[in-house]
Amino acid sequence: MGKGTDKLYITHSEWSSSDAYSANTGSRTGPNGASFKRLPFNFCAASLQPFKNPVCTTDGTIFDVEVISKWLENHTTNPVNGEPLAARDLIKLNFARNGDVDSKGADGLGSDGKGDLIDPVSFKVFTDNTHIVAIRHGTYANVFAWETVERMNIKAKMWRDLVDDVEFGRSDIITLQDPQNAASRDLSQFQHLKDGGEALLTKEQENERKEGNVNIDALGRVGDKVLRAKEAVEKARREREAGGDINRASKAVTKAAGNNVARQSMIQDKKQAYNAAAYTTGRAAASFTSTGLTPETSGERATLTDEEYMLKPKRVKIKGYARIETNLGDLNIELQTEYAPRAVWNFTRLAQKGYYKGVAFHRNIKNFMIQGGDPTGTGRGGTSIWGKNFQDEFDGPLTHDSRGVISMANKGKNTNSSQFFITYRPVKHLDRKHTIFGKVVGGMDVLSKMEAVDTDGSDRPLNKIFIKDVVVYLDPFDEFLKQKAERDKLAETKAEIERTGGTEDDRITWTGKRVRQDGTVDQGGGGGNVGKYLQAAMKQQNTEDEIIEEDVDTWEEPVKKKAKVGGFGNFDNW
């Protein structure tokens, strides 16, 4: 009965150990020993700070309007659950306050001087254990306690707002806080925190971070030195963010003298390659810990392959085009490389190696979609071009909003392989569950023929529909590499001209004659080049060689210079 012994009893220490279930075990018996962190009801879910101007979404997530507006300037998703969110979806919350009582102001902390948040009917103060709801009226909502709405609206069947007497329905009731559902305010489940991000900063926090935590006014003359030091740090940070190395810049070591000329640094910063990764090769760390490696003193960036470089979202913006040839006809498709580069790369490379030849569509559901891409024909096979599943790509505006959308079929999150499906109608419930990588732009009549094929009880077509071949007309990745090669060649030509001291269209021979773009030589003046000196010398020589005839009879005596009057003279008058 005892643990690891043959005793017929359990001791107190065994009973209170971490793998037991007695009252003495404490918090050690929690899942993985993790503590539950709950967001207070009066805190913004994005900044994790008390809100001042609260707004909420339709699912009851509360934000501060300044914080969420700044977030939506660069994002289109909800920072808590990752679902699409726009500024027009936000609902202004009208909280009632008790200005006479402020429970948070007892110690002077956490108080805004406006009183506690209360129910406007019962005047009960809201706490983290209060069931709070909001009644929506278009773009705003009034906040109540649930027991007030339940007793005076729902049970009384009086569907009018208790504050402004506006009619509402049950669907207009939004739950802001439910004590029985604490998981909805669990900080560990917030999407922007799970992705490794930090809480968004409020305007006050940004100002504090800029000013620092030093009270400049209380330092007197020392405060001026602190301010100058802070300005120097900020200047160094800006130079570092601009790409320069402040330790190598000549301005950081040059004295501020008016007559001194800034001396150019002899150490040239190495230009990063276009395909440099955000991480280093690790040679410096490896050589530091291993005596078997050659010592490395600089953290060199790792180099990405062309494939890794191109498969970043929004890097290749060229759309691809292909044709799916079936036994019922051809489908012309457009590939969305900008928002789903991995899916497009997988599809085009599999098509180019003939992976889809003879592959049948194994699933066909009228008014829904048709699925294929599995060589086994069972719906459980197929591999990607990398031999393993690849991740989903949801960063973009693409949705299942029309007929002919092409998406990756999967078995769950990040399980894309070779199977894909084509929709017969808008299916918005599949958004952010399946990666969209293309759409049908030609052959809608063929898609209608495919939809009309009868199926058996397992949605398998009775008459076989199979792919003859997939022809890639425009490979976006090959086109991207061609354009990049042309840009690199042009940049190299410009750099060569700059090294020789000229400009892009300034090609001059050693004699000072200009060479036009068509290759002809301009025989005119050399402009501001060496030729002008040769021409000036020739004119001067011609002038000297000319014979000038002078008339002797007309010679006149030169005018005598007048003596200067004034000045010191010979000092006779002294």
Side-chain angles (χ1 to χ4, degrees):
M1 185 174 180
K3 296 182 179 180
T5 66
D6 55 355
K7 296 181 298 185
L8 299 179
Y9 60 90
I10 297 178
T11 63
H12 180 271
S13 61
E14 293 173 340
W15 179 253
S16 62
S17 61
S18 61
D19 55 350
Y21 297 93
S22 71
N24 296 325
T25 58
S27 62
R28 293 175 296 177
T29 58
N32 300 327
S35 59
F36 176 79
K37 294 184 179 180
R38 178 179 178 181
L39 182 70
F41 77 95
N42 62 330
F43 275 52
C44 171
S47 64
L48 309 184
Q49 298 294 322
F51 55 68
K52 292 185 177 180
N53 302 302
V55 293
C56 75
T57 60
T58 54
D59 59 355
T61 306
I62 304 178
F63 300 101
D64 190 280
V65 66
E66 293 183 355
V67 178
I68 191 62
S69 299
K70 187 175 180 180
W71 167 272
L72 292 178
E73 290 178 358
N74 302 320
H75 305 80
T76 59
T77 58
N78 190 325
V80 174
N81 53 23
E83 296 180 357
L85 179 65
R88 62 178 179 274
D89 301 330
L90 300 177
I91 306 168
K92 179 185 177 183
L93 296 178
N94 295 329
F95 278 92
R97 289 179 177 267
N98 185 355
D100 298 333
V101 181
D102 195 347
S103 60
K104 299 178 183 178
D107 55 355
L109 300 176
S111 173
D112 53 7
K114 298 180 181 180
D116 291 330
L117 303 177
I118 62 173
D119 178 78
V121 178
S122 64
F123 295 99
K124 289 185 177 180
V125 178
F126 290 151
T127 65
D128 290 336
N129 298 318
T130 306
H131 192 169
I132 305 174
V133 297
I135 299 179
R136 179 180 181 179
H137 305 293
T139 58
Y140 75 96
N142 296 324
V143 182
F144 299 90
W146 165 251
E147 58 183 8
T148 300
V149 176
E150 183 182 27
R151 179 179 302 178
M152 305 187 69
N153 291 111
I154 299 177
K155 289 185 177 181
K157 297 183 179 179
M158 197 275 292
W159 298 96
R160 303 190 72 85
D161 196 298
L162 299 173
V163 173
D164 50 14
D165 198 31
V166 178
E167 187 176 354
F168 69 94
R170 186 180 289 271
S171 60
D172 295 325
I173 300 177
I174 302 174
T175 301
L176 302 180
Q177 176 179 258
D178 186 1
Q180 304 299 326
N181 184 21
S184 62
R185 304 186 68 82
D186 185 5
L187 292 177
S188 62
Q189 300 301 321
F190 285 10
Q191 187 67 35
H192 66 298
L193 300 180
K194 290 170 62 177
D195 293 342
E198 297 180 352
L200 305 182
L201 298 179
T202 62
K203 187 173 293 184
E204 291 77 8
Q205 289 177 321
E206 291 180 354
N207 294 335
E208 290 178 0
R209 181 164 294 187
K210 290 180 181 178
E211 296 175 358
N213 55 359
V214 180
N215 188 357
I216 302 299
D217 297 333
L219 295 179
R221 295 182 178 178
V222 182
D224 297 336
K225 297 182 179 180
V226 175
L227 285 177
R228 288 196 297 270
K230 286 167 62 67
E231 291 176 358
V233 172
E234 288 296 329
K235 181 179 179 181
R237 183 181 291 113
R238 288 193 299 268
E239 291 181 358
R240 183 167 61 251
E241 291 175 355
D245 189 348
I246 61 173
N247 295 325
R248 295 180 178 181
S250 58
K251 294 182 180 179
V253 296
T254 303
K255 295 183 180 179
N259 54 353
N260 289 343
V261 180
R263 185 178 180 183
Q264 186 178 4
S265 174
M266 299 299 293
I267 304 177
Q268 299 295 331
D269 292 331
K270 184 178 180 181
K271 185 178 180 181
Q272 295 292 347
Y274 74 94
N275 56 348
Y279 50 88
T280 64
T281 57
R283 294 196 187 100
S287 64
F288 180 75
T289 57
S290 175
T291 58
L293 298 177
T294 303
E296 292 281 346
T297 58
S298 61
E300 183 181 358
R301 293 281 189 91
T303 303
L304 300 177
T305 62
D306 288 340
E307 177 181 342
E308 294 172 339
Y309 175 74
M310 291 188 295
L311 295 188
K312 296 292 183 181
K314 299 183 180 180
R315 178 157 290 168
V316 180
K317 299 184 178 181
I318 304 172
K319 293 184 178 181
Y321 292 92
R323 182 178 66 197
I324 302 177
E325 300 176 354
T326 69
N327 58 333
L328 297 181
D330 299 340
L331 296 175
N332 296 328
I333 64 174
E334 182 183 73
L335 303 176
Q336 305 291 340
T337 319
E338 183 177 359
Y339 303 109
R342 289 182 175 274
V344 174
W345 176 277
N346 177 70
F347 180 80
T348 55
R349 293 306 177 266
L350 290 177
Q352 289 171 353
K353 65 182 292 189
Y355 186 86
Y356 291 119
K357 285 185 178 180
V359 176
F361 289 94
H362 59 273
R363 191 181 180 198
N364 188 19
I365 303 176
K366 291 184 179 180
N367 199 30
F368 182 36
M369 62 90 198
I370 183 170
Q371 182 176 340
D374 178 13
T376 65
T378 61
R380 295 186 294 271
T383 57
S384 69
I385 192 65
W386 300 284
K388 60 181 181 180
N389 296 335
F390 61 94
Q391 62 189 14
D392 299 322
E393 296 170 296
F394 297 144
D395 295 335
L398 303 179
T399 57
H400 299 82
D401 57 352
S402 62
R403 177 182 176 91
V405 175
I406 307 176
S407 300
M408 296 298 300
N410 57 41
K411 297 176 288 186
K413 184 178 180 181
N414 298 328
T415 58
N416 302 294
S417 57
S418 65
Q419 296 189 38
F420 61 91
F421 64 88
I422 308 174
T423 62
Y424 290 141
R425 64 174 178 87
V427 282
K428 300 289 288 184
H429 64 280
L430 298 182
D431 291 347
R432 303 191 65 81
K433 295 181 181 178
H434 295 270
T435 300
I436 303 173
F437 68 94
K439 65 178 179 179
V440 178
V441 294
M444 286 296 183
D445 55 336
V446 177
L447 194 62
S448 300
K449 292 180 183 178
M450 299 168 68
E451 185 178 8
V453 175
D454 295 331
T455 59
D456 56 13
S458 59
D459 299 323
R460 188 177 295 274
L462 296 177
N463 297 327
K464 191 174 182 180
I465 308 174
F466 63 91
I467 301 174
K468 292 182 179 180
D469 194 7
V470 177
V471 180
V472 180
Y473 284 119
L474 177 61
D475 191 334
F477 302 102
D478 291 347
E479 193 69 20
F480 176 79
L481 291 177
K482 290 179 182 178
Q483 294 181 3
K484 182 183 173 302
E486 293 176 359
R487 290 194 301 268
D488 293 346
K489 185 177 180 180
L490 182 61
E492 185 178 353
T493 304
K494 290 182 179 179
E496 181 63 26
I497 295 175
E498 290 178 357
R499 282 195 296 269
T500 57
T503 59
E504 181 180 359
D505 58 346
D506 188 16
R507 292 187 296 166
I508 305 297
T509 63
W510 67 275
T511 59
K513 296 181 180 179
R514 178 183 176 86
V515 180
R516 298 192 183 95
Q517 294 293 335
D518 56 359
T520 60
V521 180
D522 189 0
Q523 300 296 335
N529 297 285
V530 181
K532 69 178 183 179
Y533 300 108
L534 298 177
Q535 295 174 2
M538 293 294 295
K539 290 181 180 179
Q540 183 177 2
Q541 183 177 359
N542 294 336
T543 303
E544 293 175 353
D545 293 342
E546 291 180 358
I547 301 175
I548 302 176
E549 297 181 357
E550 297 182 353
D551 190 358
V552 180
D553 298 335
T554 59
W555 181 85
E556 297 180 358
E557 184 181 0
V559 182
K560 296 182 178 180
K561 293 182 180 180
K562 294 182 180 181
K564 290 184 179 180
V565 179
F568 292 104
N570 55 4
F571 300 98
D572 293 339
N573 297 329
W574 281 44

